[in-house]
Amino acid sequence: MCIRDRFRPGYKKHSEVASEMEWVKELFDVQHVGESAISFCLSVLTCVGVAFWIIYGGYGLGSLPIFLIKGTKSLGQAKNEITNDLIKIRGRYNGIQEKYSRSHTKISKHDQRLINNLKKHEKLLNRKNEYIQNAETEAGRLQSILKILTPFRYLIGLTCLAFSLLIFFSLGVTAFDKFMNSKCGLSCGYLIEKPTFFNPIDKTLVFASQYFPLDYLVFFVLVFYIFIASLYGIIKVGIKITCITIYEIKRESTLPQALLMTAFIMKLILMVLATQIMILSPQYATFGTQTYSVGNKEMMCTLSAASQKAKTSCSMSYVSIFYNKISVSLPFFSGCFLYTSDAADDLLCVDLGGRRIIQ
């Protein structure tokens, strides 16, 4: 972070920037010690959730659309595969038995181990076969409904893939915009007066806010999708410490401790999501559709226009005030949140690209 901040275009020393960005400190009033302590505690908790957001959020956003597009095997297909595997196992077992029955010799240790392994595998497949048969009797109607909904599953999968790509693009564009165009850099958490580059999610939300409550609906769908994708990532990856699996999330066999950890992780991810919203849609989350007059022109509100010196009617949302206060008073955390969006984007690309290469 320090190296990237030092050599980025437009870098200035802190002493040169201080006079230019004095209005920022007046705008966000960062002198209250008690509020700074609360912001520090919340920032620490959010930074803990950063790792979960990168691992589970990035993985879920990349793998959930692929899962919906590919789908899973039907019960009939799984049953046919198990039947074929059982036929092969029994054929190998009978072949070994016939070999020694003809020669009337003692079974070698290698073949005995092979027979034992075949019996274990046969028992496992029989259990799976019984489970599938029970599932067929219990979910007969459900399977017929899922077959009808198969074309819609592809459509939902492609829609989720489009959402993931939009999230990836919007996070990357805003992070690049802040990194390139912030006058004060890391010293103020890469604050910028207004977005410079085109951000599709931000533009969509700002446009939808003109037709209330359309923007609420779009925002709800976006947050709900990220929530479901993160939860899907936890289910698939499991709760791990480094490479060691601590808990697994399985149907009807999840431990209570695993559910408690899942709830705790999702709470931290939602805390991180509150900061990522400022990167996903900076203009909408800060000012919405507010404008101010400059002569005969109507301009979108900016941070400098919202300052007391500007004397405009621009008012910031409470979420943006809280986030930008952290950026000014605790710039390290703001830089952490910004680079977090890059890391989640990288994992999403690796997941999508890796699955494309492997499959």
Side-chain angles (χ1 to χ4, degrees):
M1 289 172 58
C2 294
I3 294 173
R4 287 175 63 177
D5 184 64
R6 179 75 180 180
F7 294 100
R8 69 185 182 90
Y11 168 80
K12 293 184 179 180
K13 294 182 179 179
H14 182 70
S15 58
E16 299 176 5
V17 175
S19 58
E20 295 182 9
M21 303 299 292
E22 191 65 31
W23 58 270
V24 173
K25 294 183 179 180
E26 295 179 2
L27 176 62
F28 297 114
D29 189 16
V30 297
Q31 301 301 322
H32 291 86
V33 179
E35 188 174 348
S36 298
I38 296 174
S39 299
F40 177 79
C41 294
L42 291 176
S43 299
V44 171
L45 287 175
T46 306
C47 279
V48 174
V50 160
F52 299 127
W53 163 249
I54 294 173
I55 296 171
Y56 298 120
Y59 178 86
L61 290 172
S63 60
L64 180 58
I66 304 301
F67 167 76
L68 291 173
I69 294 171
K70 282 188 61 180
T72 56
K73 297 177 183 177
S74 64
L75 294 177
Q77 291 175 337
K79 187 176 180 180
N80 290 333
E81 289 184 0
I82 291 174
T83 302
N84 293 331
D85 290 340
L86 284 172
I87 292 172
K88 292 178 182 178
I89 289 172
R90 288 164 184 167
R92 293 182 63 185
Y93 178 77
N94 293 332
I96 295 173
Q97 292 289 345
E98 290 178 2
K99 172 184 173 182
Y100 288 98
S101 63
R102 291 175 183 176
S103 60
H104 302 285
T105 57
K106 187 178 180 180
I107 299 177
S108 64
K109 292 182 179 180
H110 173 73
D111 288 338
Q112 187 62 49
R113 284 195 300 268
L114 182 58
I115 289 174
N116 293 334
N117 291 332
L118 290 173
K119 287 181 178 180
K120 289 180 182 178
H121 197 192
E122 184 180 10
K123 288 181 180 179
L124 180 62
L125 291 175
N126 285 327
R127 289 177 186 173
K128 288 184 178 180
N129 200 12
E130 291 176 2
Y131 175 79
I132 291 174
Q133 288 176 356
N134 294 331
E136 283 180 337
T137 56
E138 294 176 0
R141 294 181 180 178
L142 180 61
Q143 290 297 317
S144 60
I145 294 173
L146 291 177
K147 287 181 181 179
I148 297 173
L149 295 177
T150 298
F152 298 99
R153 190 194 70 218
Y154 292 126
L155 181 61
I156 294 172
L158 291 173
T159 304
C160 290
L161 181 61
F163 265 109
S164 294
L165 293 176
L166 281 175
I167 292 170
F168 157 74
F169 184 76
S170 297
L171 287 175
V173 163
T174 304
F176 182 75
D177 189 8
K178 286 176 172 287
F179 180 73
M180 296 295 293
N181 298 317
S182 176
K183 295 180 179 179
C184 50
L186 186 60
S187 61
C188 68
Y190 294 99
L191 274 180
I192 54 176
E193 294 186 32
K194 61 179 180 179
T196 306
F197 302 114
F198 175 76
N199 185 326
I201 291 180
D202 192 28
K203 294 295 183 182
T204 301
L205 287 170
V206 170
F207 175 78
S209 62
Q210 302 175 16
Y211 305 95
F212 178 84
L214 183 60
D215 59 325
Y216 281 26
L217 178 62
V218 175
F219 188 79
F220 170 77
V221 172
L222 177 66
V223 173
F224 182 72
Y225 172 64
I226 295 175
F227 177 85
I228 294 298
S230 301
L231 189 60
Y232 177 80
I234 295 175
I235 293 172
K236 286 299 180 181
V237 176
I239 300 173
K240 298 184 177 182
I241 297 179
T242 61
C243 297
I244 303 173
T245 302
I246 306 300
Y247 298 113
E248 292 183 348
I249 312 298
K250 293 183 178 180
R251 182 181 177 183
E252 298 181 357
S253 60
T254 305
L255 295 175
Q257 296 90 334
L259 294 175
L260 185 62
M261 286 294 298
T262 301
F264 177 70
I265 291 172
M266 288 304 302
K267 185 180 292 186
L268 292 178
I269 289 176
L270 290 176
M271 290 182 67
V272 178
L273 181 59
T275 64
Q276 296 299 300
I277 290 298
M278 291 297 302
I279 302 177
L280 273 174
S281 54
Q283 184 66 31
Y284 174 78
T286 306
F287 296 107
T289 56
Q290 295 181 67
T291 59
Y292 68 99
S293 300
V294 179
N296 296 326
K297 294 183 179 181
E298 291 291 327
M299 306 290 291
M300 298 296 293
C301 286
T302 62
L303 292 181
S304 58
S307 62
Q308 296 178 357
K309 293 181 179 180
K311 296 182 180 179
T312 61
S313 58
C314 295
S315 59
M316 300 172 60
S317 64
Y318 289 109
V319 174
S320 64
I321 290 174
F322 177 75
Y323 174 80
N324 289 320
K325 277 187 176 182
I326 294 177
S327 299
V328 176
S329 59
L330 304 167
F332 170 79
F333 291 109
S334 179
C336 177
F337 301 151
L338 181 64
Y339 292 122
T340 294
S341 63
D342 288 341
D345 272 0
D346 293 342
L347 184 58
L348 191 151
C349 286
V350 168
D351 187 63
L352 287 174
R355 287 171 180 270
R356 178 62 180 169
I357 293 170
I358 292 172
Q359 297 166 5

